[in-house]
Amino acid sequence: MKWKSGIVAAFPHLYKKEMDTALKKTLISIGLIIVMSPFVFSDTMVSLATEEGYSSNIFNDSFAISDSYTILRSDLLMYPTDMMEINFFGDYNKYSQTSGLSNLLGGVSVTLIPTNEMMKSQIFLNGSLSFVNYGTEFNYYNNTVVSGSGSWNYQFTENLNSRVGVGAKSVFYTNASSVSDNIYYVYGGLNTTIFSQNSIDIETAYYNKKFNTDDSFNSDNSYVDISVRYSRPISNALGMRMYYMKRFLDSADDSYMPGFTIDYLSPWSTLWGGDVVGFSFKQILPKQFVMTLSADYSDKSYIDQLESDLSEVPVYTITSRDDITKTFFIQFEKKYFQTTSLIIPRFTISYLDNNSSIDLYNFEKLTFHGSVSFNF
């Protein structure tokens, strides 16, 4: 696996035919499932969505490469019994200019609730299998994910609920086995409502992430998240939410990882310690339009990186990365209820400003995104 610190600005169209063939096969498979599912299960729901967007910075770095994209999304929900949900899902994401970043995602998840919904004690079990394939330029990000989790919720009183859970996830990188990893986690939390309308949620979670790599890198890392969320209605048409999260990264002082490539796709992008704080407001507008406005601020210190200067005889250095990120988001949506279906159009504008100790990750990003989902 060849890791680089930067993104080359020009990308040849190497894999359009390959992806188009995969898309046709996927659409045919989804169509067959949708057609046949009513004959197998009487309780079936289908969700289809088409999305269009534009990003001024698709790689989240100072090269600021922009592109537009189209997403086709589908979900098929089946309910064989009152206690089981089976979800077949698939996404096809196509970029207009950067064809190699186009990707195909698919998978299935199963959720079981073996307890009676009227009981104070509830058990939830979930398992999933998914894959994602990219184009030739980025096929080292191709991966398959297997995950499973279980949780136990208990209602002490009408206004006090608790939860504990465990889970595991294995990520297998098809063309980069050295960064395949296993994540194990446990969590616990409390949710309470005080003074009739003030909801407070507190959660603590522990994660251990182990890479299938050689001894040159720190393959075993763990972190602890502590989060607090507060929400309440302000009026009949306006609600607000505030949240804070603190992450403690437990890693050896001399540990490091290979340098980041595409920031949000890198296998070690979750290995940071720091703080995230934010708020959001949801307003019901005339004609039943809903507006959501949110902003957050984060201060993150990532695990040290092994960087290359990309020369013919590369020189490697170990550098630290500290980022301060500000994000702003506004979304409008409206639900149209039909006799047997639900249609939801959405339009979103988001802005991200990232200041980093590494020049490559000093960037701004503006995104416009529109979608229409059909649920029936």
Side-chain angles (χ1 to χ4, degrees):
M1 184 176 189
K2 186 177 181 181
W3 298 101
K4 299 182 179 180
S5 299
I7 301 297
V8 180
F11 301 95
H13 297 273
L14 299 178
Y15 117 109
K16 181 177 185 297
K17 182 177 179 181
E18 167 189 335
M19 184 61 79
D20 287 347
T21 301
L23 173 62
K24 291 177 182 177
K25 292 180 179 179
T26 302
L27 292 177
I28 291 172
S29 300
I30 293 173
L32 288 173
I33 292 174
I34 293 174
V35 170
M36 295 301 297
S37 61
F39 298 99
V40 180
F41 301 116
S42 58
D43 294 327
T44 302
M45 294 179 61
V46 177
S47 176
L48 302 174
T50 177
E51 307 178 19
E52 297 284 342
Y54 168 83
S55 173
S56 66
N57 195 330
I58 60 174
F59 293 117
N60 290 358
D61 61 26
S62 59
F63 283 90
I65 298 173
S66 62
D67 206 347
S68 59
Y69 56 87
T70 299
I71 301 175
L72 301 177
R73 199 182 302 275
S74 64
D75 286 272
L76 175 62
L77 299 170
M78 300 179 179
Y79 301 91
T81 70
D82 293 339
M83 299 186 298
M84 177 184 290
E85 176 190 88
I86 303 174
N87 182 15
F88 293 92
F89 54 90
D91 292 358
Y92 175 67
N93 190 341
K94 180 175 176 58
Y95 285 85
S96 299
Q97 303 298 322
T98 317
S99 63
L101 195 60
S102 299
N103 57 83
L104 183 66
L105 179 149
V108 59
S109 68
V110 178
T111 301
L112 292 172
I113 308 176
T115 50
N116 189 301
E117 63 180 8
M118 302 303 294
M119 297 174 59
K120 289 188 173 183
S121 180
Q122 296 285 328
I123 295 176
F124 299 87
L125 303 173
N126 179 267
S128 67
L129 171 67
S130 65
F131 72 89
V132 60
N133 289 329
Y134 292 87
T136 304
E137 298 101 320
F138 303 106
N139 62 13
Y140 42 79
Y141 291 112
N142 292 356
N143 66 76
T144 299
V145 179
V146 180
S147 67
S149 64
S151 66
W152 175 56
N153 294 13
Y154 186 81
Q155 183 180 29
F156 291 101
T157 68
E158 184 179 353
N159 296 323
L160 180 61
N161 298 274
S162 67
R163 62 187 180 275
V164 293
V166 297
K169 181 171 75 170
S170 295
V171 183
F172 305 96
Y173 285 88
T174 309
N175 301 313
S177 60
S178 64
V179 294
S180 295
D181 59 79
N182 296 302
I183 302 175
Y184 305 95
Y185 60 89
V186 296
Y187 66 88
L190 287 172
N191 180 277
T192 184
T193 301
I194 58 176
F195 305 116
S196 74
Q197 294 183 320
N198 298 274
S199 177
I200 300 174
D201 188 275
I202 301 173
E203 182 174 290
T204 300
Y206 170 82
Y207 298 83
N208 179 262
K209 187 169 187 176
K210 186 174 180 62
F211 292 94
N212 179 29
T213 186
D214 56 45
D215 294 333
S216 301
F217 310 120
N218 182 31
S219 61
D220 197 347
N221 300 271
S222 59
Y223 51 92
V224 174
D225 288 348
I226 300 175
S227 63
V228 179
R229 291 180 288 273
Y230 169 76
S231 60
R232 64 157 292 134
I234 298 176
S235 68
N236 291 334
L238 178 63
M240 60 87 66
R241 181 176 72 103
M242 296 188 296
Y243 54 90
Y244 171 76
M245 188 191 81
K246 177 73 174 181
R247 174 169 294 179
F248 300 91
L249 176 64
D250 181 17
S251 191
D253 293 337
D254 58 350
S255 64
Y256 59 90
M257 283 290 179
F260 287 64
T261 50
I262 299 176
D263 182 59
Y264 61 93
L265 291 179
S266 293
W268 32 84
S269 62
T270 58
L271 297 181
W272 55 268
D275 306 88
V276 179
V277 62
F279 70 88
S280 65
F281 292 95
K282 181 169 286 190
Q283 172 76 54
I284 300 176
L285 302 172
K287 305 291 187 181
Q288 295 301 304
F289 281 90
V290 177
M291 179 184 71
T292 302
L293 176 67
S294 68
D296 64 52
Y297 172 93
S298 65
D299 187 350
K300 302 177 181 179
S301 296
Y302 289 85
I303 191 170
D304 288 348
Q305 304 168 39
L306 180 66
E307 296 283 353
S308 166
D309 63 358
L310 302 181
S311 60
E312 186 173 344
V313 181
V315 176
Y316 293 93
T317 57
I318 297 177
T319 60
S320 59
R321 176 183 173 185
D322 300 292
D323 285 17
I324 292 179
T325 307
K326 290 165 280 190
T327 305
F328 304 92
F329 169 97
I330 185 169
Q331 177 179 274
F332 298 91
E333 73 171 47
K334 180 174 173 60
K335 296 181 179 179
Y336 294 92
F337 293 93
Q338 307 297 321
T339 304
T340 59
S341 63
L342 172 64
I343 302 173
I344 308 176
R346 293 186 180 94
F347 179 71
T348 304
I349 302 174
S350 63
Y351 171 77
L352 186 151
D353 178 39
N354 198 75
N355 293 284
S356 178
S357 59
I358 297 179
D359 289 340
L360 178 63
Y361 302 109
N362 284 321
F363 67 89
E364 294 179 314
K365 179 176 182 176
L366 181 65
T367 302
F368 299 92
H369 187 92
S371 68
V372 180
S373 64
F374 303 88
N375 306 274
F376 51 90

